[in-house]
Amino acid sequence: MRLTIYLLFILIPALFYAQIEENVWRKSLTPVQLNADFDLLVSALADVHPAIYQYTTKEELAITETAIRQQFTEPKSSMEFHILVRQYIEEIKCGHTMARPNQEWYESQAQNPSRIPLEIYLINNTIYVKHIYQEGKIDLIGAEILSIDGRTAEQILKDMYAIQERDGLEEAFRNSKVERIFKTYHHFLYGAKLSHVMEYNYKGGLGTIELVSGSFDIMPAKEFQDSTLYDLQVKSSGASFYLYGESKIPVLDLNTFYRKDFKQFYKSMFKKLAQSKSENLVIDLRGNGGGFFPHGAMLLKYLMKEKFTFDFYRNPEKPKKNEYLIMPFPNKMTKLVFSTIPDSDKNDLNRNYQIRYKIKKKNHFDGKVIVLTDGATFSMGSLVAAKLKYNRDATIIGIETGGTEEGSNAVLTGQLSLPNSGIRVVVPNYHFNHKVNGQNNGRGLLPDVRVDYSVSERMADIDKEMMEIQKIILSNGKN
């Protein structure tokens, strides 16, 4: 009797997971359906994407297309096709062109979470344990992961890098995304399992543990807790202005360029900054993936030395009508407004736009600007960092930005829904040209002071960038 109950306990979940696999992962698409969806993807990107051949030539992209089509001789699941779509998109080298699985996959995950219970650190192409959502595994934090389910860490990273979109040739954004959503990518690539076997090296000792999949609470986001270290002055959605440490260094922490409340936030923030008489301002753009471009423009109005512009372009030809490519209504209205802007460069084949901005005079900050960046500094985050470095003489501290120094694609986007697989693809409509005196080499904005972390430093949760800032400011003897 006990044996029967035990077998039921083991087999019922296994059958349940097998049903998930059958419904979501193994839903077959015929070669005809695969080719039809892929045709739609390739043609839509070539028609709408503003810089599809910026980093990959038309011939190189055609080779990738052919290699993928050669795999359509047999039926594939929508999730297998999703991986191939991601591999094609990765070749374009645009961090704003993204693919997502069909809605059924998300619904199945909401009802029956089955991801690997693991958070990681990714440092120098080596995977370390950050957190395991499982009792009794806390002592493995910092262990190097050697393999999972027989796949080496090197192979896992190779597979994940092949499906991670990024701007140009930089690696920082790619690495930050793989680190942040490792659980999801592992599920994308290898499917749902009841448990996983992980081999590790912890303090020189080799070991193996079983990681049980399922539902778990996500680690909470880091918040300001030490009031003696962070003296909060003004706060808004995705933005905080505080005085740091005993030296009371003014720090503007921007997690995102959010759509709401930013005008009033900056009005209050720069008023307080002016009252403080400080000669320095630190702008923390680490983890800032971008957002609303008028928000970025508003910040620059308080900082730039003179008038500045936002410059972007789209393909010269009007895109073909496509019932599967939908743009949200607010984006359509914004696009209509853009159409009233005169072409700013009629000698260029593209349709060019330029928006001009005047600087703020009241409470304008003219002191030293220091900007913190990392691999997740992307889109509007990287634009603001580039403008401040080249047009405001800001010092950049951290690592290479996730967005390229030259610019990025987006401004407005649409969603392409592939009818047979249900896969959704975000398609940018414009290319933002930062118009700075940097290099158009596919790299992100490089820091003036590079700050790297060891795994022990990541574990200790120290802020080496702020330590570096204190050195710089204290050496100048002014705050």
Side-chain angles (χ1 to χ4, degrees):
M1 182 66 179
R2 288 181 179 177
L3 178 61
T4 301
I5 293 173
Y6 175 78
L7 289 173
L8 286 173
F9 179 78
I10 295 297
L11 291 174
I12 288 175
L15 290 171
F16 178 71
Y17 273 84
Q19 187 176 26
I20 295 175
E21 294 275 318
E22 182 66 28
N23 291 342
V24 179
W25 284 83
R26 302 302 174 192
K27 181 181 178 182
S28 290
L29 298 169
T30 67
V32 172
Q33 291 174 316
L34 293 168
N35 276 292
D37 272 12
F38 201 62
D39 285 343
L40 184 58
L41 172 71
V42 171
S43 61
L45 289 175
D47 185 39
V48 177
H49 197 287
I52 190 170
Y53 306 121
Q54 183 175 13
Y55 299 111
T56 303
T57 66
K58 189 174 183 179
E59 292 73 24
E60 289 170 336
L61 198 57
I63 292 172
T64 301
E65 177 187 342
T66 299
I68 290 174
R69 287 189 187 278
Q70 288 174 347
Q71 301 182 53
F72 296 162
T73 56
E74 300 292 336
K76 290 189 179 295
S77 72
S78 61
M79 288 305 297
E80 289 170 328
F81 181 58
H82 166 247
I83 295 300
L84 295 174
V85 167
R86 278 181 163 268
Q87 289 173 356
Y88 180 76
I89 288 173
E90 196 281 331
E91 284 295 315
I92 296 172
K93 304 294 186 287
C94 168
H96 284 88
T97 306
M98 301 169 284
R100 293 182 295 161
N102 58 31
Q103 187 61 33
E104 289 80 5
W105 185 87
Y106 284 98
E107 291 172 356
S108 73
Q109 289 304 294
Q111 296 170 7
N112 309 293
S114 55
R115 289 176 295 172
I116 187 170
L118 181 66
E119 301 282 355
I120 69 160
Y121 296 116
L122 179 54
I123 302 173
N124 296 327
N125 293 314
T126 303
I127 310 174
Y128 300 92
V129 173
K130 178 180 180 180
H131 183 76
I132 297 176
Y133 298 98
Q134 198 167 313
E135 296 237 358
K137 308 301 181 188
I138 189 84
D139 56 337
L140 289 178
I141 294 175
E144 179 185 349
I145 298 173
L146 303 177
S147 72
I148 299 174
D149 297 331
R151 298 182 187 90
T152 64
E154 181 182 9
Q155 183 61 51
I156 291 170
L157 288 179
K158 182 179 178 182
D159 292 343
M160 291 187 178
Y161 291 162
I163 65 170
Q164 175 55 58
E165 69 281 351
R166 57 172 171 162
D167 272 5
L169 307 176
E170 64 79 41
E171 298 177 352
F173 177 76
R174 179 197 69 184
N175 294 352
S176 70
K177 283 290 291 292
V178 168
E179 178 179 285
R180 184 167 61 86
I181 55 177
F182 180 86
K183 302 184 299 298
T184 301
Y185 278 2
H186 192 274
H187 197 135
F188 280 175
L189 288 162
Y190 312 124
K193 289 186 65 177
L194 277 172
S195 63
H196 305 269
V197 176
M198 184 182 83
E199 293 181 299
Y200 62 87
N201 182 340
Y202 184 59
K203 296 182 178 179
L206 303 180
T208 302
I209 62 168
E210 182 183 29
L211 303 177
V212 179
S213 300
S215 177
F216 39 82
D217 294 328
I218 303 298
M219 292 180 69
K222 182 181 176 183
E223 295 182 358
F224 298 139
Q225 294 179 346
D226 188 355
S227 59
T228 62
L229 193 59
Y230 302 100
D231 184 4
L232 186 63
Q233 302 290 300
V234 187
K235 186 174 178 59
S236 183
S237 300
S240 301
F241 176 59
Y242 61 90
L243 304 179
Y244 179 83
E246 294 181 1
S247 302
K248 299 296 182 182
I249 301 170
V251 178
L252 169 59
D253 188 355
L254 285 170
N255 297 324
T256 181
F257 286 100
Y258 198 63
R259 285 178 174 267
K260 296 181 180 179
D261 307 325
F262 62 89
K263 292 181 180 179
Q264 184 58 45
F265 170 79
Y266 286 128
K267 185 177 180 180
S268 301
M269 183 226 125
F270 280 99
K271 181 178 180 181
K272 283 185 173 289
L273 182 60
Q275 291 171 345
S276 74
K277 306 294 184 183
S278 175
E279 296 184 17
N280 298 282
L281 172 63
V282 177
I283 302 176
D284 191 346
L285 295 178
R286 292 174 296 180
N288 188 315
F292 194 43
F293 80 81
H295 182 160
M298 181 59 66
L299 171 60
L300 292 175
K301 286 181 178 183
Y302 283 96
L303 298 171
M304 297 291 275
K305 295 179 179 179
E306 56 189 10
K307 297 176 184 177
F308 62 96
T309 63
F310 276 4
D311 300 84
F312 52 99
Y313 63 80
R314 64 165 173 79
N315 289 337
E317 302 297 330
K318 185 177 180 180
K320 303 180 185 72
K321 286 188 177 181
N322 188 334
E323 63 179 307
Y324 300 106
L325 181 57
I326 306 299
M327 180 176 281
F329 181 76
N331 288 13
K332 288 181 179 179
M333 293 298 99
T334 304
K335 192 173 183 180
L336 184 62
V337 172
F338 285 167
S339 68
T340 65
I341 300 175
D343 193 330
S344 59
D345 187 358
K346 293 185 178 180
N347 294 322
D348 183 46
L349 293 177
N350 293 306
R351 172 63 165 91
N352 290 270
Y353 305 81
Q354 185 176 84
I355 302 176
R356 299 172 183 175
Y357 297 97
K358 295 180 180 180
I359 64 172
K360 292 276 187 181
K361 294 183 178 180
K362 187 175 182 179
N363 295 325
H364 187 275
F365 181 72
D366 298 311
K368 174 66 177 175
V369 175
I370 302 172
V371 180
L372 307 184
T373 63
D374 63 10
T377 306
F378 184 67
S379 194
M380 184 54 57
S382 58
L383 182 151
V384 167
K387 291 282 190 184
L388 291 175
K389 177 180 174 69
Y390 286 102
N391 303 123
R392 185 59 169 76
D393 301 320
T395 299
I396 310 298
I397 298 178
I399 64 171
E400 181 179 3
T401 60
T404 61
E405 185 174 77
E406 177 274 335
S408 61
N409 305 300
V411 186
L412 300 174
T413 61
Q415 178 174 279
L416 176 69
S417 298
L418 304 181
N420 295 303
S421 60
I423 293 168
R424 284 79 53 84
V425 179
V426 176
V427 182
N429 281 240
Y430 300 88
H431 179 81
F432 239 131
N433 187 333
H434 293 170
K435 291 285 187 181
V436 296
N437 294 323
Q439 298 183 26
N440 184 10
N441 59 2
R443 295 294 301 274
L445 180 69
L446 298 177
D448 299 298
V449 180
R450 184 178 175 91
V451 178
D452 292 303
Y453 284 80
S454 66
V455 65
S456 59
E457 289 168 334
R458 293 284 302 275
M459 290 167 58
D461 202 25
I462 62 175
D463 194 334
K464 291 178 69 175
E465 287 89 345
M466 288 305 299
M467 293 167 63
E468 193 67 38
I469 285 170
Q470 286 182 307
K471 291 180 189 176
I472 294 172
I473 291 177
L474 290 175
S475 66
N476 292 334
K478 296 179 181 179
N479 179 23

Short mmCIF file of all heavy atoms in Angstrom, two decimals, residues 176-205:
data_model
loop_
_atom_site.label_atom_id
_atom_site.label_comp_id
_atom_site.label_asym_id
_atom_site.label_seq_id
_atom_site.Cartn_x
_atom_site.Cartn_y
_atom_site.Cartn_z
N SER A 176 24.22 40.89 -18.74
CA SER A 176 23.32 41.33 -17.66
C SER A 176 21.94 40.69 -17.81
O SER A 176 21.30 40.33 -16.82
CB SER A 176 23.21 42.85 -17.64
OG SER A 176 22.49 43.34 -18.76
N LYS A 177 21.48 40.55 -19.06
CA LYS A 177 20.17 39.92 -19.28
C LYS A 177 20.20 38.43 -18.97
O LYS A 177 19.27 37.90 -18.34
CB LYS A 177 19.72 40.13 -20.73
CG LYS A 177 19.17 41.51 -21.05
CD LYS A 177 17.81 41.76 -20.39
CE LYS A 177 16.68 40.94 -20.97
NZ LYS A 177 16.31 41.29 -22.34
N VAL A 178 21.24 37.74 -19.40
CA VAL A 178 21.36 36.31 -19.11
C VAL A 178 21.43 36.08 -17.60
O VAL A 178 20.79 35.16 -17.07
CB VAL A 178 22.59 35.71 -19.81
CG1 VAL A 178 22.90 34.31 -19.28
CG2 VAL A 178 22.36 35.65 -21.33
N GLU A 179 22.16 36.93 -16.90
CA GLU A 179 22.22 36.80 -15.44
C GLU A 179 20.85 37.02 -14.81
O GLU A 179 20.43 36.26 -13.93
CB GLU A 179 23.23 37.80 -14.87
CG GLU A 179 23.32 37.75 -13.35
CD GLU A 179 24.32 38.73 -12.77
OE1 GLU A 179 25.53 38.45 -12.88
OE2 GLU A 179 23.90 39.76 -12.21
N ARG A 180 20.15 38.04 -15.28
CA ARG A 180 18.88 38.41 -14.64
C ARG A 180 17.77 37.39 -14.88
O ARG A 180 16.96 37.13 -14.00
CB ARG A 180 18.45 39.80 -15.13
CG ARG A 180 17.19 40.33 -14.46
CD ARG A 180 17.00 41.80 -14.75
NE ARG A 180 16.85 42.08 -16.14
CZ ARG A 180 15.68 42.03 -16.81
NH1 ARG A 180 14.58 41.69 -16.17
NH2 ARG A 180 15.63 42.33 -18.09
N ILE A 181 17.72 36.82 -16.09
CA ILE A 181 16.60 35.91 -16.39
C ILE A 181 17.11 34.51 -16.75
O ILE A 181 16.57 33.85 -17.63
CB ILE A 181 15.68 36.48 -17.48
CG1 ILE A 181 16.46 36.81 -18.75
CG2 ILE A 181 14.94 37.70 -16.98
CD1 ILE A 181 15.55 37.30 -19.87
N PHE A 182 18.14 34.09 -16.05
CA PHE A 182 18.73 32.77 -16.29
C PHE A 182 17.68 31.67 -16.18
O PHE A 182 17.65 30.75 -17.00
CB PHE A 182 19.85 32.53 -15.27
CG PHE A 182 20.53 31.19 -15.41
CD1 PHE A 182 21.59 31.02 -16.29
CD2 PHE A 182 20.11 30.10 -14.65
CE1 PHE A 182 22.22 29.79 -16.41
CE2 PHE A 182 20.73 28.87 -14.77
CZ PHE A 182 21.79 28.71 -15.65
N LYS A 183 16.81 31.74 -15.18
CA LYS A 183 15.78 30.71 -14.98
C LYS A 183 14.89 30.57 -16.21
O LYS A 183 14.58 29.47 -16.66
CB LYS A 183 14.91 31.06 -13.76
CG LYS A 183 15.65 31.23 -12.46
CD LYS A 183 14.71 31.48 -11.30
CE LYS A 183 13.90 32.74 -11.45
NZ LYS A 183 14.74 33.96 -11.50
N THR A 184 14.47 31.72 -16.74
CA THR A 184 13.57 31.71 -17.89
C THR A 184 14.25 31.17 -19.14
O THR A 184 13.68 30.35 -19.87
CB THR A 184 13.05 33.13 -18.16
OG1 THR A 184 12.36 33.60 -17.00
CG2 THR A 184 12.09 33.15 -19.35
N TYR A 185 15.48 31.60 -19.38
CA TYR A 185 16.20 31.11 -20.56
C TYR A 185 16.48 29.61 -20.46
O TYR A 185 16.45 28.90 -21.47
CB TYR A 185 17.51 31.89 -20.72
CG TYR A 185 17.32 33.23 -21.40
CD1 TYR A 185 16.06 33.67 -21.78
CD2 TYR A 185 18.40 34.06 -21.67
CE1 TYR A 185 15.89 34.90 -22.40
CE2 TYR A 185 18.24 35.28 -22.30
CZ TYR A 185 16.98 35.69 -22.66
OH TYR A 185 16.80 36.90 -23.29
N HIS A 186 16.77 29.15 -19.27
CA HIS A 186 17.00 27.71 -19.08
C HIS A 186 15.74 26.94 -19.46
O HIS A 186 15.81 25.88 -20.11
CB HIS A 186 17.41 27.42 -17.64
CG HIS A 186 17.94 26.05 -17.41
ND1 HIS A 186 17.12 24.97 -17.16
CD2 HIS A 186 19.21 25.56 -17.44
CE1 HIS A 186 17.86 23.88 -17.02
NE2 HIS A 186 19.13 24.20 -17.19
N HIS A 187 14.59 27.48 -19.07
CA HIS A 187 13.30 26.85 -19.41
C HIS A 187 13.05 26.92 -20.92
O HIS A 187 12.61 25.95 -21.54
CB HIS A 187 12.18 27.53 -18.64
CG HIS A 187 10.92 26.73 -18.59
ND1 HIS A 187 10.20 26.57 -17.44
CD2 HIS A 187 10.25 26.04 -19.55
CE1 HIS A 187 9.13 25.82 -17.69
NE2 HIS A 187 9.14 25.50 -18.96
N PHE A 188 13.30 28.09 -21.51
CA PHE A 188 13.14 28.23 -22.96
C PHE A 188 13.91 27.15 -23.71
O PHE A 188 13.41 26.51 -24.62
CB PHE A 188 13.69 29.60 -23.43
CG PHE A 188 12.76 30.76 -23.21
CD1 PHE A 188 13.20 32.05 -23.49
CD2 PHE A 188 11.48 30.59 -22.74
CE1 PHE A 188 12.37 33.13 -23.31
CE2 PHE A 188 10.63 31.68 -22.54
CZ PHE A 188 11.08 32.95 -22.83
N LEU A 189 15.16 26.97 -23.32
CA LEU A 189 16.07 26.11 -24.09
C LEU A 189 15.87 24.63 -23.82
O LEU A 189 15.96 23.81 -24.75
CB LEU A 189 17.52 26.49 -23.78
CG LEU A 189 18.00 27.82 -24.35
CD1 LEU A 189 19.25 28.30 -23.62
CD2 LEU A 189 18.28 27.68 -25.84
N TYR A 190 15.60 24.28 -22.57
CA TYR A 190 15.66 22.87 -22.20
C TYR A 190 14.35 22.29 -21.67
O TYR A 190 14.29 21.10 -21.38
CB TYR A 190 16.77 22.66 -21.16
CG TYR A 190 18.08 23.31 -21.56
CD1 TYR A 190 18.71 24.23 -20.74
CD2 TYR A 190 18.69 23.02 -22.79
CE1 TYR A 190 19.92 24.84 -21.10
CE2 TYR A 190 19.88 23.62 -23.17
CZ TYR A 190 20.49 24.53 -22.31
OH TYR A 190 21.66 25.12 -22.68
N GLY A 191 13.32 23.13 -21.51
CA GLY A 191 12.01 22.62 -21.15
C GLY A 191 11.79 22.45 -19.66
O GLY A 191 12.67 22.68 -18.83
N ALA A 192 10.57 22.00 -19.33
CA ALA A 192 10.16 21.82 -17.93
C ALA A 192 10.61 20.46 -17.42
O ALA A 192 10.49 19.45 -18.11
CB ALA A 192 8.65 21.95 -17.81
N LYS A 193 11.14 20.45 -16.20
CA LYS A 193 11.53 19.21 -15.54
C LYS A 193 11.14 19.28 -14.07
O LYS A 193 11.09 20.36 -13.48
CB LYS A 193 13.04 18.97 -15.65
CG LYS A 193 13.54 18.62 -17.04
CD LYS A 193 15.02 18.26 -17.00
CE LYS A 193 15.27 17.01 -16.19
NZ LYS A 193 16.70 16.61 -16.20
N LEU A 194 10.88 18.12 -13.48
CA LEU A 194 10.58 18.08 -12.05
C LEU A 194 11.76 18.54 -11.21
O LEU A 194 11.59 19.21 -10.20
CB LEU A 194 10.19 16.66 -11.63
CG LEU A 194 8.74 16.24 -11.87
CD1 LEU A 194 8.59 14.76 -11.58
CD2 LEU A 194 7.81 17.05 -10.98
N SER A 195 12.96 18.16 -11.64
CA SER A 195 14.15 18.54 -10.88
C SER A 195 15.35 18.57 -11.81
O SER A 195 15.30 18.10 -12.95
CB SER A 195 14.40 17.53 -9.74
OG SER A 195 14.66 16.24 -10.26
N HIS A 196 16.42 19.16 -11.30
CA HIS A 196 17.65 19.32 -12.08
C HIS A 196 18.83 18.89 -11.22
O HIS A 196 18.84 19.11 -10.00
CB HIS A 196 17.84 20.77 -12.51
CG HIS A 196 16.67 21.32 -13.27
ND1 HIS A 196 16.57 21.26 -14.63
CD2 HIS A 196 15.54 21.95 -12.82
CE1 HIS A 196 15.44 21.83 -15.01
NE2 HIS A 196 14.80 22.26 -13.94
N VAL A 197 19.84 18.32 -11.86
CA VAL A 197 21.05 17.92 -11.16
C VAL A 197 22.15 18.93 -11.49
O VAL A 197 22.48 19.14 -12.67
CB VAL A 197 21.50 16.51 -11.57
CG1 VAL A 197 22.84 16.16 -10.89
CG2 VAL A 197 20.44 15.48 -11.19
N MET A 198 22.68 19.56 -10.46
CA MET A 198 23.70 20.59 -10.65
C MET A 198 25.03 20.13 -10.05
O MET A 198 25.09 19.72 -8.88
CB MET A 198 23.27 21.91 -9.99
CG MET A 198 24.24 23.06 -10.22
SD MET A 198 23.73 24.58 -9.39
CE MET A 198 24.36 24.29 -7.73
N GLU A 199 26.09 20.20 -10.84
CA GLU A 199 27.44 19.94 -10.36
C GLU A 199 28.11 21.28 -10.05
O GLU A 199 27.95 22.24 -10.82
CB GLU A 199 28.26 19.20 -11.41
CG GLU A 199 27.77 17.78 -11.68
CD GLU A 199 28.63 17.08 -12.72
OE1 GLU A 199 28.68 17.59 -13.86
OE2 GLU A 199 29.26 16.06 -12.39
N TYR A 200 28.87 21.33 -8.98
CA TYR A 200 29.44 22.61 -8.57
C TYR A 200 30.82 22.41 -7.95
O TYR A 200 31.23 21.31 -7.59
CB TYR A 200 28.52 23.30 -7.56
CG TYR A 200 28.32 22.51 -6.28
CD1 TYR A 200 29.21 22.63 -5.21
CD2 TYR A 200 27.24 21.64 -6.14
CE1 TYR A 200 29.04 21.92 -4.04
CE2 TYR A 200 27.06 20.91 -4.98
CZ TYR A 200 27.96 21.05 -3.93
OH TYR A 200 27.80 20.32 -2.78
N ASN A 201 31.53 23.53 -7.85
CA ASN A 201 32.81 23.60 -7.15
C ASN A 201 32.66 24.66 -6.08
O ASN A 201 32.50 25.85 -6.38
CB ASN A 201 33.93 23.97 -8.12
CG ASN A 201 35.30 23.99 -7.45
OD1 ASN A 201 35.41 24.10 -6.23
ND2 ASN A 201 36.34 23.91 -8.25
N TYR A 202 32.69 24.23 -4.83
CA TYR A 202 32.51 25.18 -3.71
C TYR A 202 33.73 25.13 -2.81
O TYR A 202 34.01 24.11 -2.18
CB TYR A 202 31.25 24.82 -2.92
CG TYR A 202 30.93 25.79 -1.81
CD1 TYR A 202 30.71 27.13 -2.09
CD2 TYR A 202 30.85 25.37 -0.48
CE1 TYR A 202 30.40 28.04 -1.08
CE2 TYR A 202 30.55 26.26 0.54
CZ TYR A 202 30.33 27.60 0.23
OH TYR A 202 30.04 28.49 1.24
N LYS A 203 34.50 26.20 -2.82
CA LYS A 203 35.71 26.33 -2.01
C LYS A 203 36.67 25.17 -2.26
O LYS A 203 37.28 24.62 -1.33
CB LYS A 203 35.34 26.42 -0.52
CG LYS A 203 34.53 27.65 -0.17
CD LYS A 203 34.23 27.73 1.31
CE LYS A 203 33.45 29.00 1.64
NZ LYS A 203 33.12 29.09 3.09
N GLY A 204 36.78 24.80 -3.54
CA GLY A 204 37.72 23.75 -3.91
C GLY A 204 37.17 22.35 -3.84
O GLY A 204 37.83 21.40 -4.29
N GLY A 205 35.96 22.19 -3.31
CA GLY A 205 35.36 20.86 -3.21
C GLY A 205 34.27 20.67 -4.25
O GLY A 205 33.42 21.54 -4.44
#
